Amino acid sequence: MVALSMKTVLKVPEEQAWLEAAQTFIQESLCPTDKEPNVQFTQSVIDCVKTVWLSQGKYQGFTLPLSYSFVSVQNLRTHQRLPCCSHLSWSSSAYQTWAQKARPNGVPLPRERLLLVGTLTDLSGDLEQGSRNGSLYVKDNTGMLSCELIDLDLSWLGHLFLFPSWSYLPPARWNSSGEGHLELWEAPVPVFPLTVSPGPLTPLPVLYPEIASRLLRHRSKFRVEQHNLAGKLIQLSALVKSKKKAYFILSLGELSPTVSQAISHVSIIVQIPAQLVWHRALCPGKAYVLTQLRVSRIRGHHYCVWMTSPFSHLMLLEPECVQELELEGPFLETDSKSLPTSSNFQDKKEPKGLMRDSRLLHYTGIVTGVLNEPAGLYELDGQLGLCLAYQQFHDLRRVMRPGVCLELQDVHLLQSVGGGTTRPVLASCLRGAILLRGFSCQKPGTQSSLQTHGASLYEQLVWERQLGLPLYLWAVKVLEELACKLCPHLLRHQQFLQHSSPGNPSLGLQLLAPTLDALALPSRSIRNAHKEILEEPHHCPLQKYAQLQTPCSFPTLATLAEEGRHRAWASFDPKELLPLPEAAHLPCCQLNHRLAWSWICLPPAAFHPPQALVGVLVASSHKGCLQLRDRSGSLSCLLLAKHSQPLTDPQLIGCLVRTEKFQLVVERDVRSNFPSWKELGMTGFIQKQQARVYAQFFLADALILPVPRSFHHSSAPPQTEPTCLGQSRLFLLSHKEALMKRNFCTSLGTTSEVPKPTLSFHVSGCWLGGTQKKERIGWGPPEPLTVENKDQKVLLIFLGSSVRWFEFLHPGQVYRLVAPGPATPKLFEVEGSSCTSQRPLELAGCVSCLTVQDEWTLELESAQDLPDMLGIHKALSGSLLTDLLGANVTDSLVSFSAEILSRTVCESLKPVCQMKPGNTEVRRCVKLTVAIGTADSEFLPRLDIYIEDPHLPPPLGLLPGARVHFNQLEKRISRSHNVYCCFRSSTYVQVLSFPPETTVSAPLPHIYLAELQQGNWGPFQATASCHVISVVSLQLLWVCAHCTSVCPQGRCIRQGPACSTQTSISQASIRLLVEDGTAEAMVTCRNYHVAAALGLCPNEWTSLLEFIRKPGRVVLKFTGPGAQLESSAKIEEPLILYLHTLCTSPSVLRPVVLSFELERKPSNITPLEPPRLQRFQCGEFPLLTRVNPRLQLACLCIQESSEHPNSQGAFTSSC
C-alpha cells in the first residue's frame, strides 16, 4: 500500500481509519485502471471532499466527514434497495427543512451519509460515437449509472466530480432494464480544475437568423457553404428517437428583433450522436452560436434546413467574440415568402363548429399527482392535467413524481375535452420541450401492478392508432377501469395491458377496438416529426380537437346490478301496476298476487352514458347457470348463440365477453298484505321484497375473446384446462331433464345424517363407440365393443360441481365426456348406480347409469365429423296441436314452442292436505299464459302453464314477450274441460328469443262472430261490431275484501271465525246476448265493464253502487218479459224498477263495438254442439232455420258504435 503524506498530524484514530478506507476505495474505484496508483490523485479526491465538508460551517470540530463513507456505482446498484439521498454540504437542520416540503402528502427521501465520486459522461459504456443517445451517466471503475442533471455545462463531460447533493432511486417495477438512476441536485464539484478553452483570436463570422433563412430560400442562386449561426434560442423541440437515429430541432431568433424581424427565425437539426447531449444544456431565452453548419434537404420534403456537422460546436454567444458575415446578392432583399407551410393543415372533412383549436403556450409548474404513469398522465399545480404521451418521455418518466418542477415549452392547452375529463389539460407534442427545473424530495410511492404495466399499449394508442387527446384520455380511463375489474383475480395485469401484435393481441385493446374504430378519425396520416416541428402553421394531433361525448362506460358487475335494483324499486308503484278502476274490484288475495311479481328490462341506452357489459364467462356449480364475473362479483346471464339457437360449446367458459347489446332484467318479487286498493300507496303493507338481476344477450352481438391459459390467475375456474393424460367417450344426448334439487341415497353405513336434496339434473342418450385414450396428436381409436354393448343407452347424472355443464347440454348434440388422469378400465361402462334404482332406468330405456365426476369435462363434437351421425335430426320436438288440446291423456307429456303472453302469481294447485304440518305460509304458484306457435293457423291458441315447487324460482328468461320451447310438460284437464300444463322433473325449457325491447300493441282483429264457429282455430281475442239483444242477468254486490263474503251495510257476515277486517269492495257482473247478423254470443261483463254495458257515466255508476251497499247484493235474472229478484235483504221497489227499466231500454240494447276474449280456452275435449232448429217470425211468415250454438265470450271493452251514439233518455241525468 502506498503511504499517504499529510500536512497535518492526525490526532483522532477515527480519522486515520477513515483515510485508510478512503484511500483503498479511491485506488480501487476511481484511479485509472491503466495507470499505477497515484498519491496525488488520491489526495485530490480527499481534498475535494474536505472542501465541501467544511463549507457547511458546522462540522463539529472534525475536518473530515467521518460519518460519511464512499460508495461505488456497483454498491449502489446491488445493495441499495430503497430510495435515498445524500447531502454532504447540508447540515441536519437544513435537511429537516428540506424534508418538510414532502409532507403532509408524501414521505421525504431518507438521508444516507454516502460520498459519490465519478466521471460525468454521455457515453453509455464505450468510446464509440454511436453509443451516445443524449443520456448522462456517472461512471467509475465498477460500472455506470444513468443520471439526471438540471443545468448541464458541456465542459463537465469527461471529468471527475464529487457530487455533494444527490438522490438514488432503485429501478421501478416497470423498468425492464433493472437499472436505477441518480438525481444530481447541485452542481458537481470538480476534483481537478477544469480547463477553460480560450476564445477565438479573431471574431467569429456568423449569420443571424434573418439572413440565414433567406439563404435557404435562395440556395439555388448562391453556393451555400458551411456557416456559423448565432441567435437567441426561441424554440426547442423534444428529443426524437427512432429506430434509425435520434435528433432534435432548435430555432434561433434575432437578438433584438425589429417589427419586420419579429417572426424571423431559423431552424437547425441536431442529429450527430455526440451532439445530442446539447439538448440538456440548451436553455430557451439564451443566445448561442452554432459553428460549421451545413444546408441539407430532408428526405421526403421539398425544402432545406440547416443541420450540424460532426465538427460543429455549441457555445454561448458573446458579442465581442463574433462578427456578422456580410453577403452580397439579390437574395438579400426583403421578400414576403413565408416559412414552410403545411398543405394538409385544413381538413375539409371536419364539420364546422365542432372542432376547436388548442392554444400554444409556455408553462412552468410543479407535479402534484401521478394519475397514470404508464400512460403519461400527471397533475400540475393541483388543477391542470398533464399528458406526455404524445412525446417520447421514457427518460423523464423515471423522475416524475409529486414535487418535480417542469418547464413546458410550446405546450398545448385543451379545455373541455369531455370523455369524463373535467379539468383543462396540457399536452406536449414533438415541437415542444419538457425541461426539468427541480427534483422532488418525496420518496416514490409503492407502485401497484396497474401502475407498472401498459406503457407500450398506451404508446400504441397514440403512435399507431393515432388517437386524439380526448379519445386517448377516455381510452386510458376505460383501460384502467377494466384492469381494476378483471385483474389480478381473473386475469393478469401484464397480459391484459401488453402491447398488441399480430400474433399476440392485447386483451385490453381488443375490448376497446369496437369503440375506437367507430370514433377514431378516418384516414389520419401517420405522424411526421419533421413536419410537426418545422412547418407553419403548426399542425399536430393536438392542434385541433372536438369535445368527446362519452361513448360508453364499463361499470363493475356489482355496480350494474345494484343500479338495476335501484331503478327497479324506484319505479315500483303498486298504483301503476294495478291502476283504477281495475284495482277497486279486486279482493286482497288477488290484489297481492297481482303485485307479487313484476319486472323491468333496462337496455344499455337506459343509462347515461350507455353501459357495456364486460366479464369473464364462468359456469356456476351452485346455481347451474352461466355468469359473467369480475372482481366485484358475478352477474347471472342468459346467452343464446343467435335467434332460436342455444349455447352448446363448453369452450366458451373462461372467455372474456364484451357486449353493448344486452338486456338487464330485474325481476321483482314482493310479499305484501294490502287490505284493499285504498292502501296501495302505503308501503308499510309490503312485508318482503327481493330482486333477481340477470343479463341476457345473443352471442352474435358480443365480442368473445378466448383467453390463453397463462392469462388466467390461479383462482380462475379450472374446468377447461387441457390435460396430457385422459380418456373420453362420445355420446349423443337425446333428452335432458330439469335442474332441481333431488334426493339421492347414499351407501349404507357411510353417514348417519339424513341426506339433503342436492341440485342436480339427468340426461339420457346413447354411447357412440367405445372409450378413446389421449394421444399426442389427439384421441386414439375407440375400443371395440361387443354386440350387446352397441347402441347402449345410458343415463348420466350431473350433481355437485358437474352441474356447471347444464347450460351447454341440449338434445340432438354430440358431446365428448373427458376424464383426465391415468386410464381406468371400463370407466364409462359402470352398470347401475348407487344414486338411482333400477326402475327409473327401465322407464328411461337405459341399461346403465353413470354419475359424472367433478373433474370430468365436456367437449362439443361436430356431427359432420362422425360418419354414423349424418342423419341426426336436431329440430326441437313438438306435439301436434290436436293431441295437445285434445282429450287423449295416454301421452300426458307434451312439448311445444310458444310465446309467453303473461306471467302472474296465483295460489298453489296442490291441496292443503299436501302441505307440511305447521307451515302457515301460503304456497304460491307461477302461472304462464302462452300462445302456441303453429304453422297452419293464423291465430295462435292459448294455454296456461303452472310452475310450483321444487321448480321455483322459474328458470331465467321466462318473461312476457319471450319465445320458449317447453319439453315434456305434463298435460292436465280441468273440471271445466280446459287444458293446462304443469312443470315436472322431466321438463326441459329452452329460451328461443328474448322479449323485444320495444313492444307495439297490435290492434285486435275485427271479425264476424261466425268465424269463431269454424273448424280452424279462431282468434282468442278479437273485436266485433254487434247489437245487444237482451240482458240475461245482472248481479251487483259488496263483498269482504279479505274473505269475499257478502257485506250488507258494509259488514262482513262470515261466522266462525269472524272476519278480522271490515273492508268491503264492490263487484258486478252482467250477461248480455249479442248478435252481429252471423251468429249469437253470450257475453259476460265484469266490474267496471258493467257500467259501460249499462251506459252509465262514472258518477251514475258510483251512485248506483252506493244504493247497493245497504242490502249488499242484488241479482236480476231476465228469463222473460219480467224480472225475478234475488237478494240478501228486502229491496225497495224503485231500485228494482230502475234496474229493470234500464236493462230493457234502448240505452242498453244498442249497437256496440265489443272487444272480447273466449270465455274458455279452445280445445278439442268437448265437441261443438250441433246446430239447433229455431223459429223466427218475419212479418206474417214464420221461418224455421238451423242456428249454431251461442258463443261464450268475456268482455274486454265496450265502446259505442259510431252509427248509434249513446242516449239514455229519461232514465239518467247527464254526468
Side-chain angles (χ1 to χ4, degrees):
M1 180 178 295
V2 181
L4 185 63
S5 63
M6 301 291 296
K7 295 181 180 180
T8 58
V9 180
L10 299 177
K11 299 181 180 180
V12 182
E14 290 81 357
E15 292 186 354
Q16 180 64 37
W18 188 91
L19 287 173
E20 292 177 356
Q23 178 186 5
T24 303
F25 173 83
I26 295 171
Q27 293 175 357
E28 293 178 353
S29 301
L30 300 178
C31 287
T33 56
D34 55 347
K35 297 181 181 180
E36 293 294 330
N38 191 330
V39 176
Q40 183 179 1
F41 182 92
T42 305
Q43 185 62 45
S44 298
V45 174
I46 295 177
D47 289 344
C48 182
V49 172
K50 287 177 61 178
T51 302
V52 176
W53 168 253
L54 297 177
S55 66
Q56 66 172 322
K58 297 181 180 179
Y59 42 86
Q60 300 176 353
F62 294 98
T63 58
L64 294 173
L66 301 183
S67 59
Y68 283 78
S69 59
F70 285 91
V71 62
S72 66
V73 169
Q74 183 180 9
N75 286 338
L76 275 179
R77 295 171 56 181
T78 56
H79 299 297
Q80 189 63 38
R81 302 295 183 183
L82 298 176
C84 67
C85 67
S86 179
H87 303 282
L88 178 62
S89 60
W90 289 15
S91 64
S92 297
S93 59
Y95 169 77
Q96 292 298 332
T97 303
W98 175 80
Q100 288 297 327
K101 299 179 181 179
R103 297 184 177 93
N105 297 324
V107 178
L109 287 167
R111 186 179 187 182
E112 298 289 343
R113 299 183 180 274
L114 300 174
L115 298 174
L116 181 63
V117 181
T119 301
L120 188 64
T121 179
D122 62 338
L123 287 170
S124 59
D126 50 46
L127 296 178
E128 295 183 5
Q129 194 177 43
S131 63
R132 290 182 167 97
N133 60 2
S135 299
L136 286 177
Y137 304 92
V138 172
K139 179 181 178 181
D140 62 11
N141 295 342
T142 64
M144 64 171 38
L145 269 177
S146 60
C147 67
E148 293 292 337
L149 184 63
I150 294 177
D151 292 317
L152 173 66
D153 189 334
L154 295 178
S155 63
W156 295 347
L157 296 178
H159 295 277
L160 186 66
F161 289 94
L162 167 67
F163 303 100
S165 183
W166 54 272
S167 57
Y168 172 73
L169 276 72
R173 292 179 58 184
W174 55 266
N175 193 340
S176 58
S177 66
E179 299 288 339
H181 75 280
L182 291 167
E183 296 175 346
L184 306 181
W185 286 73
E186 296 180 359
V189 179
V191 174
F192 303 102
L194 299 178
T195 57
V196 179
S197 57
L201 299 178
T202 60
L204 192 66
V206 297
L207 293 176
Y208 287 102
E210 184 179 7
I211 301 300
S213 60
R214 292 182 191 175
L215 193 61
L216 287 179
R217 292 194 293 271
H218 298 276
R219 62 190 179 279
S220 60
K221 301 178 181 179
F222 189 82
R223 183 180 178 182
V224 180
E225 300 176 350
Q226 290 188 348
H227 290 284
N228 306 322
L229 266 63
K232 182 170 66 175
L233 181 64
I234 60 173
Q235 183 179 318
L236 179 64
S237 77
L239 181 59
V240 182
K241 296 181 180 179
S242 63
K243 295 181 180 179
K244 297 181 179 180
K245 59 184 177 181
Y247 61 91
F248 68 91
I249 301 176
L250 60 94
S251 295
L252 297 180
E254 297 292 339
L255 298 180
S256 300
T258 62
V259 176
S260 60
Q261 297 173 333
I263 60 172
S264 296
H265 67 273
V266 61
S267 297
I268 304 169
I269 297 180
V270 180
Q271 62 181 14
I272 305 299
Q275 300 167 359
L276 296 179
V277 74
W278 293 2
H279 193 271
R280 296 175 175 271
L282 291 169
C283 181
K286 292 186 177 181
Y288 296 94
V289 175
L290 282 84
T291 64
Q292 301 188 43
L293 301 182
R294 58 188 176 89
V295 176
S296 177
R297 181 186 295 273
I298 301 177
R299 181 178 300 178
H301 299 271
H302 62 280
Y303 49 84
C304 295
V305 295
W306 291 99
M307 190 175 296
T308 60
S309 67
F311 309 102
S312 299
H313 290 86
L314 172 69
M315 61 186 70
L316 288 173
L317 174 61
E318 297 180 3
E320 63 275 7
C321 298
V322 298
Q323 181 180 0
E324 184 175 4
L325 180 64
E326 296 183 359
L327 298 177
E328 296 180 357
F331 60 87
L332 294 180
E333 298 178 359
T334 304
D335 56 15
S336 58
K337 291 184 179 180
S338 61
L339 294 174
T341 58
S342 172
S343 59
N344 58 354
F345 175 68
Q346 297 292 339
D347 191 352
K348 298 181 181 180
K349 295 183 180 181
E350 294 176 352
K352 296 182 179 180
L354 298 180
M355 302 300 294
R356 305 181 181 183
D357 290 323
S358 61
R359 292 178 54 193
L360 270 178
L361 49 84
H362 301 319
Y363 187 87
T364 301
I366 296 177
V367 177
T368 53
V370 179
L371 304 180
N372 190 317
E373 184 176 352
L377 299 180
Y378 303 90
E379 180 188 70
L380 277 182
D381 298 329
Q383 58 185 359
L384 292 175
L386 174 62
C387 178
L388 305 182
Y390 292 83
Q391 277 198 6
Q392 298 165 326
F393 66 105
H394 304 85
D395 295 338
L396 191 61
R397 178 183 173 188
R398 61 189 180 184
V399 183
M400 296 290 285
R401 61 186 186 276
V404 170
C405 183
L406 299 177
E407 180 183 344
L408 308 175
Q409 295 286 325
D410 291 324
V411 65
H412 293 265
L413 173 64
L414 295 87
Q415 304 183 66
S416 302
V417 296
T421 302
T422 57
R423 69 179 77 191
V425 180
L426 294 174
S428 184
C429 64
L430 296 178
R431 182 173 185 170
I434 304 173
L435 306 177
L436 188 64
R437 291 294 176 245
F439 297 111
S440 172
C441 58
Q442 289 189 21
K443 179 181 177 181
T446 303
Q447 292 183 316
S448 63
S449 297
L450 180 62
Q451 297 171 323
T452 57
H453 299 293
S456 59
L457 176 60
Y458 296 127
E459 291 179 6
Q460 191 173 12
L461 294 177
V462 173
W463 298 94
E464 294 183 19
R465 297 191 68 95
Q466 300 289 312
L467 296 188
L469 182 65
L471 190 55
Y472 174 74
L473 294 178
W474 176 83
V476 170
K477 178 184 176 183
V478 169
L479 283 174
E480 189 173 355
E481 293 175 352
L482 290 174
C484 292
K485 276 169 55 72
L486 303 172
C487 307
H489 300 296
L490 300 175
L491 302 173
R492 300 184 184 276
H493 284 97
Q494 183 176 359
Q495 289 87 355
F496 182 75
L497 297 174
Q498 71 177 6
H499 182 273
S500 186
S501 58
N504 193 17
S506 166
L507 288 176
L509 187 56
Q510 289 183 85
L511 287 177
L512 287 188
T515 305
L516 297 183
D517 294 340
L519 295 178
L521 294 179
S523 65
R524 170 172 280 182
S525 58
I526 299 177
R527 293 176 67 181
N528 185 295
H530 291 101
K531 285 186 176 181
E532 193 168 311
I533 299 173
L534 293 173
E535 287 187 347
E536 294 291 347
H538 174 60
H539 184 56
C540 72
L542 302 173
Q543 181 63 28
K544 285 184 173 293
Y545 68 100
Q547 186 175 10
L548 177 67
Q549 299 296 329
T550 305
C552 62
S553 63
F554 299 84
T556 62
L557 298 177
T559 302
L560 184 63
E562 184 60 32
E563 178 66 17
R565 291 189 188 93
H566 173 74
R567 294 197 179 197
W569 294 120
S571 61
F572 178 72
D573 186 0
K575 292 184 178 180
E576 291 186 4
L577 294 176
L578 289 177
L580 292 175
E582 179 185 7
H585 305 284
L586 295 177
C588 66
C589 59
Q590 296 183 15
L591 191 73
N592 292 306
H593 281 157
R594 294 280 294 274
L595 296 175
W597 183 88
S598 58
W599 70 294
I600 64 170
C601 179
L602 299 174
F607 302 89
H608 183 74
Q611 309 284 292
L613 202 59
V614 172
V616 176
L617 187 66
V618 297
S620 173
S621 59
H622 301 287
K623 298 181 179 180
C625 65
L626 295 177
Q627 293 178 334
L628 288 178
R629 185 171 296 172
D630 62 12
R631 287 185 60 186
S632 67
S634 58
L635 177 66
S636 300
C637 57
L638 178 62
L639 274 72
L640 294 179
K642 52 184 179 180
H643 189 75
S644 301
Q645 292 191 6
L647 221 58
T648 56
D649 190 2
Q651 295 296 325
L652 291 172
I653 296 179
C655 291
L656 194 58
V657 179
R658 175 198 189 270
T659 179
E660 296 181 31
K661 296 181 180 180
F662 66 94
Q663 295 177 345
L664 185 67
V665 178
V666 186
E667 297 183 13
R668 297 177 294 215
D669 188 9
V670 176
R671 299 294 177 98
S672 60
N673 59 348
F674 289 101
S676 67
W677 63 275
K678 297 179 180 179
E679 292 80 15
L680 287 180
M682 303 171 64
T683 58
F685 290 100
I686 298 179
Q687 299 172 325
K688 181 182 178 181
Q689 60 183 27
Q690 58 184 11
R692 181 166 70 163
V693 185
Y694 58 94
Q696 52 188 23
F697 55 91
F698 291 103
L699 210 60
D701 295 333
L703 176 65
I704 308 297
L705 301 178
V707 180
R709 187 62 201 167
S710 59
F711 278 35
H712 287 288
H713 195 267
S714 57
S715 63
Q719 54 257 36
T720 58
E721 182 178 1
T723 55
C724 297
L725 298 177
Q727 51 189 336
S728 66
R729 195 172 183 183
L730 295 174
F731 72 94
L732 169 64
L733 194 150
S734 59
H735 175 65
K736 171 182 173 182
E737 294 194 353
L739 177 66
M740 56 182 291
K741 290 188 176 181
R742 293 177 171 86
N743 292 319
F744 289 97
C745 58
T746 57
S747 302
L748 297 178
T750 57
T751 179
S752 59
E753 297 182 0
V754 178
K756 296 181 180 180
T758 305
L759 188 66
S760 63
F761 69 97
H762 301 164
V763 300
S764 59
C766 59
W767 294 116
L768 301 178
T771 302
Q772 298 174 266
K773 294 182 181 180
K774 186 72 174 180
E775 296 181 352
R776 292 184 178 180
I777 59 175
W779 295 104
E783 297 178 355
L785 297 175
T786 59
V787 177
E788 60 272 11
N789 288 335
K790 289 186 177 180
D791 300 329
Q792 181 182 6
K793 294 185 178 181
V794 63
L795 181 69
L796 299 180
I797 301 177
F798 293 80
L799 71 160
S801 181
S802 62
V803 169
R804 67 184 183 272
W805 305 113
F806 178 78
E807 290 292 337
F808 296 98
L809 292 169
H810 298 281
Q813 300 290 341
V814 179
Y815 298 91
R816 182 181 296 276
L817 189 61
V818 181
T824 303
K826 297 184 178 182
L827 179 63
F828 302 113
E829 301 176 6
V830 180
E831 296 286 342
S833 176
S834 61
C835 297
T836 184
S837 62
Q838 193 66 24
R839 179 59 178 164
L841 293 178
E842 295 176 356
L843 294 176
C846 300
V847 179
S848 64
C849 173
L850 186 64
T851 301
V852 178
Q853 304 300 315
D854 293 346
E855 66 275 9
W856 292 3
T857 60
L858 281 178
E859 298 176 3
L860 179 68
E861 293 290 332
S862 174
Q864 298 178 356
D865 300 334
L866 305 173
D868 298 335
M869 299 303 299
L870 297 179
I872 290 181
H873 182 63
K874 297 183 180 180
L876 296 174
S877 61
S879 304
L880 294 177
L881 193 59
T882 55
D883 296 336
L884 177 61
L885 301 179
N888 181 18
V889 293
T890 56
D891 187 7
S892 61
L893 297 180
V894 295
S895 303
F896 55 86
S897 297
E899 178 185 348
I900 299 178
L901 301 177
S902 65
R903 172 174 168 178
T904 56
V905 175
C906 59
E907 294 184 1
S908 175
L909 300 180
K910 296 181 180 179
V912 181
C913 59
Q914 295 187 12
M915 298 180 61
K916 295 181 180 179
N919 187 4
T920 59
E921 183 179 358
V922 178
R923 300 187 64 176
R924 302 196 297 178
C925 174
V926 174
K927 174 184 174 183
L928 302 178
T929 300
V930 301
I932 304 174
T934 58
D936 55 349
S937 178
E938 179 183 358
F939 304 108
L940 306 181
R942 302 193 177 193
L943 194 68
D944 289 337
I945 302 174
Y946 295 89
I947 309 174
E948 295 186 279
D949 280 333
H951 303 281
L952 295 178
L956 302 181
L958 299 186
L959 304 171
R963 186 165 181 80
V964 183
H965 180 75
F966 299 93
N967 192 54
Q968 293 201 0
L969 290 169
E970 182 184 7
K971 184 182 75 173
R972 293 183 181 181
I973 301 175
S974 68
R975 286 175 292 183
S976 59
H977 304 291
N978 276 328
V979 178
Y980 66 97
C981 295
C982 295
F983 268 48
R984 285 294 171 259
S985 60
S986 60
T987 302
Y988 159 65
V989 175
Q990 177 181 329
V991 177
L992 302 179
S993 63
F994 304 131
E997 293 186 3
T998 57
T999 57
V1000 179
S1001 57
L1004 296 178
H1006 196 91
I1007 65 171
Y1008 293 105
L1009 294 179
E1011 296 182 36
L1012 299 176
Q1013 297 176 333
Q1014 297 175 359
N1016 297 331
W1017 302 107
F1020 181 71
Q1021 293 180 342
T1023 301
S1025 298
C1026 52
H1027 191 280
V1028 180
I1029 301 174
S1030 63
V1031 175
V1032 178
S1033 65
L1034 172 66
Q1035 179 177 246
L1036 304 173
L1037 68 162
W1038 286 85
V1039 298
C1040 176
H1042 179 69
C1043 65
T1044 66
S1045 300
V1046 178
C1047 293
Q1049 297 181 353
R1051 299 176 184 175
C1052 181
I1053 60 174
R1054 190 182 74 167
Q1055 301 293 331
C1059 191
S1060 59
T1061 180
Q1062 294 298 325
T1063 304
S1064 59
I1065 59 174
S1066 63
Q1067 291 185 345
S1069 65
I1070 188 172
R1071 301 193 70 191
L1072 305 174
L1073 181 62
V1074 302
E1075 60 86 19
D1076 67 345
T1078 64
E1080 291 183 349
M1082 192 68 69
V1083 181
T1084 302
C1085 304
R1086 301 185 184 278
N1087 298 326
Y1088 61 94
H1089 295 305
V1090 176
L1094 295 176
L1096 299 178
C1097 69
N1099 290 340
E1100 293 171 338
W1101 176 245
T1102 303
S1103 300
L1104 177 60
L1105 292 178
E1106 288 301 322
F1107 278 108
I1108 307 299
R1109 184 185 293 272
K1110 182 178 180 181
R1113 182 184 183 208
V1114 171
V1115 178
L1116 294 178
K1117 293 184 178 179
F1118 296 84
T1119 57
Q1124 296 180 352
L1125 176 64
E1126 178 184 343
S1127 64
S1128 58
K1130 188 176 182 180
I1131 306 301
E1132 290 79 2
E1133 198 66 28
L1135 181 57
I1136 299 297
L1137 179 61
Y1138 171 77
L1139 292 176
H1140 176 270
T1141 306
L1142 178 62
C1143 292
T1144 57
S1145 67
S1147 302
V1148 177
L1149 308 180
R1150 66 194 189 277
V1152 294
V1153 177
L1154 177 67
S1155 298
F1156 61 88
E1157 67 180 9
L1158 300 180
E1159 197 169 62
R1160 187 171 60 86
K1161 293 181 173 61
S1163 67
N1164 295 330
I1165 297 175
T1166 56
L1168 294 177
E1169 300 178 10
R1172 54 184 174 83
L1173 289 174
Q1174 186 173 349
R1175 184 181 299 273
F1176 293 90
Q1177 188 70 29
C1178 183
E1180 299 178 355
F1181 303 98
L1183 298 178
L1184 189 65
T1185 183
R1186 294 183 181 273
V1187 179
N1188 288 324
R1190 293 171 178 172
L1191 299 168
Q1192 304 295 323
L1193 307 177
C1195 174
L1196 297 177
C1197 178
I1198 291 182
Q1199 296 177 339
E1200 299 300 327
S1201 175
S1202 59
E1203 301 176 358
H1204 185 82
N1206 182 27
S1207 62
Q1208 282 96 3
F1211 299 105
T1212 58
S1213 60
S1214 61
C1215 296

